[in-house]
Amino acid sequence: MIAGRGAMQSDYMHWAKTQRPVRFALSSSEVPHFRLDSLPLSLSDLDLDGASHPRYAPLRQAIGGKYGVSPESVVAADGTSMANFLAMATLIEPGDEVIFEQPCYEPMFATARFLGADIKRVIRRAEDDFRLDLGQLAKIATDRTRLIALTNLHNPSGALTSEEDLRAIGDIAEACGAHVLVDEVYLDSAVPPRTTAALLGPQFVVTNSLTKVYGLSGLRCGWILAEPELAERMWRLNDLFGVNRAHQAEALACFAFAHLDEVRAGNAERLAVNRRLFNDFITSRPDLECMEAKHGITAFPRWAGDAERLDALLRANYDTSIVPGRWFEMPEHFRIGLGGATDMLEEGLERIGAALDELR
Ligand SMILES: Cc1ncc(COP(=O)(O)O)c(C=O)c1O
């Protein structure tokens, strides 16, 4: 479940990393891995001279170029995970009030607790298609609120927060003198594509990476977009964790940005087919309820049973995995990842159906 105040760990991340691998891994929330050596890559692209490069400018330019923001607003980090850590550690101090969406991505929440935040929750209800309750947000935000934290697209439901809602959240934050942290690691799988909240105003701080939507999780290429003064503080904080980043990974990330269309080729089409398969599966199952999957890589159906038992049965007898909803504080739900190969998803859904029938 959610880690206690100050706990130096993410229980969910530990659980996710210690499960036995299965063939139909619908617990995964990323597209298939991309082989960089399928591109015209040569060893000379890797700067193998042993040097490291503080704040490697070409990578900041590549990331900034994706959004049309200046490299001064870009901080590179080890994945969205470290980006979230650096952003929160810069923005909040022990005792600061932070408003977190519920349900939420546990490692992000555990980070805020680790940093000693005083946490309030803003709800996303299944019956509202997991839209953030902005009325509630306006009520609970105070002049002590330092940060409002959310994911867009939402993990686990895949819900998109509209630009209108983001602007309203930005207004609430501005009135309190707070920032809004938006984890956009799934945003590039919105349909149609949406641009970053970082362009909506200086109160927005955004994190992202080349992992989930690009299939390059091994590169650990993550980033933060923030106002230059904040970005500078994040770089300085990062000096506590390491001198520089592994330079060959930075060089490979630049190479990936230069070939981004090839890296993501076919992903949007596969996700569209996979979402259709999933939506048909939900329609065929009177025992499951779920909003239509329109965006993203994850869905969060409700089942009036014990999702923990379902996951255990799937792993033991069906070579299949899901994420039980207890990791998102909603034990009557479970998360399904839609990013994998279509035949894998098709077979995985069939196996989930068989396991649900067995538990009926
Ligand atoms: C919302 C969210 N943020 C961040 C991450 C981790 O991203 P990365 O691999 O880029 O560190 C995940 C992974 O599941 C996630 O769901």
Side-chain angles (χ1 to χ4, degrees):
M1 195 46 108
I2 296 293
R5 177 191 288 265
M8 292 171 59
Q9 63 192 46
S10 159
D11 292 341
Y12 168 68
M13 190 52 72
H14 181 70
W15 173 85
K17 286 178 174 174
T18 51
Q19 299 305 295
R20 196 173 55 81
V22 295
R23 209 163 138 217
F24 303 95
L26 273 48
S27 51
S28 160
S29 60
E30 57 186 337
V31 301
H33 295 145
F34 180 82
R35 287 203 67 98
L36 278 168
D37 60 1
S38 64
L39 299 176
L41 177 71
S42 71
L43 277 180
S44 60
D45 290 311
L46 294 182
D47 294 342
L48 289 169
D49 62 3
S52 63
H53 298 257
R55 303 189 187 188
Y56 189 48
L59 183 55
R60 295 168 80 191
Q61 279 152 10
I63 295 167
K66 172 170 156 57
Y67 301 105
V69 309
S70 134
E72 277 71 54
S73 290
V74 178
V75 181
D78 269 351
T80 315
S81 309
M82 190 59 170
N84 283 335
F85 185 94
L86 290 174
M88 282 190 269
T90 303
L91 291 168
I92 58 182
E93 294 187 3
D96 278 354
E97 192 174 278
V98 173
I99 301 178
F100 242 91
E101 65 184 4
Q102 181 174 7
C104 68
Y105 176 57
E106 188 266 1
M108 213 176 157
F109 185 90
T111 299
R113 294 201 88 152
F114 168 70
L115 293 168
D118 178 9
I119 299 180
K120 289 181 174 174
R121 309 303 295 276
V122 57
I123 199 85
R124 289 178 179 262
R125 291 181 193 83
E127 54 271 31
D128 295 335
D129 287 351
F130 288 99
R131 183 181 173 196
L132 275 162
D133 185 337
L134 297 191
Q136 188 216 354
L137 178 63
K139 277 198 201 112
I140 62 175
T142 71
D143 56 10
R144 286 187 52 241
T145 306
R146 294 277 66 84
L147 185 67
I148 300 168
L150 61 134
T151 51
N152 190 31
L153 308 174
H154 178 225
N155 184 7
S157 70
L160 171 82
T161 299
S162 67
E163 184 177 322
E164 194 187 344
D165 280 5
L166 285 167
R167 285 188 189 280
I169 295 164
D171 289 347
I172 292 169
E174 199 178 10
C176 310
H179 284 91
V180 186
L181 174 61
V182 189
D183 175 326
E184 295 186 346
V185 78
Y186 298 105
L187 188 63
D188 289 353
S189 58
V191 184
R194 304 302 205 277
T195 188
T196 176
L199 303 178
L200 299 181
Q203 67 274 54
F204 285 92
V205 173
V206 158
T207 55
N208 201 344
S209 71
L210 289 181
T211 61
K212 304 291 175 185
V213 183
Y214 295 93
L216 290 173
S217 57
L219 273 187
R220 307 312 303 148
C221 173
W223 59 87
I224 305 154
L225 306 178
E227 283 293 281
E229 180 269 331
L230 266 178
E232 177 62 28
R233 284 169 53 202
M234 292 175 196
W235 278 113
R236 298 287 291 268
L237 171 62
N238 199 39
D239 286 342
L240 295 181
F241 300 110
V243 176
N244 290 313
R245 305 192 54 233
H247 181 60
Q248 281 66 44
E250 295 179 312
L252 276 172
C254 285
F255 184 81
F257 271 107
H259 293 85
L260 214 49
D261 285 342
E262 290 144 278
V263 170
R264 67 182 154 202
N267 285 345
E269 293 76 7
R270 186 186 324 98
L271 280 168
V273 171
N274 288 1
R275 285 188 212 107
R276 257 200 313 277
L277 269 176
F278 172 78
N279 290 331
D280 289 349
F281 172 71
I282 293 296
T283 309
S284 75
R285 299 283 328 179
D287 49 350
L288 296 181
E289 280 170 40
C290 192
M291 69 188 207
E292 184 188 350
K294 293 184 187 155
H295 307 279
I297 303 186
T298 61
F300 198 47
R302 180 176 187 281
W303 176 55
D306 178 355
E308 202 70 39
R309 233 181 114 208
L310 174 63
D311 184 48
L313 177 66
L314 282 167
R315 289 176 192 267
N317 293 355
Y318 291 92
D319 212 2
T320 300
S321 61
I322 54 169
V323 181
R326 77 173 167 109
W327 292 113
F328 299 96
E329 303 165 276
M330 294 185 80
E332 71 284 18
H333 287 249
F334 58 92
R335 194 191 75 181
I336 292 188
L338 308 175
T342 298
D343 53 353
M344 192 276 286
L345 177 71
E346 199 164 16
E347 179 65 29
L349 290 174
E350 217 162 277
R351 286 167 184 242
I352 291 173
L356 286 169
D357 291 342
E358 195 179 326
L359 291 174
R360 206 163 30 204

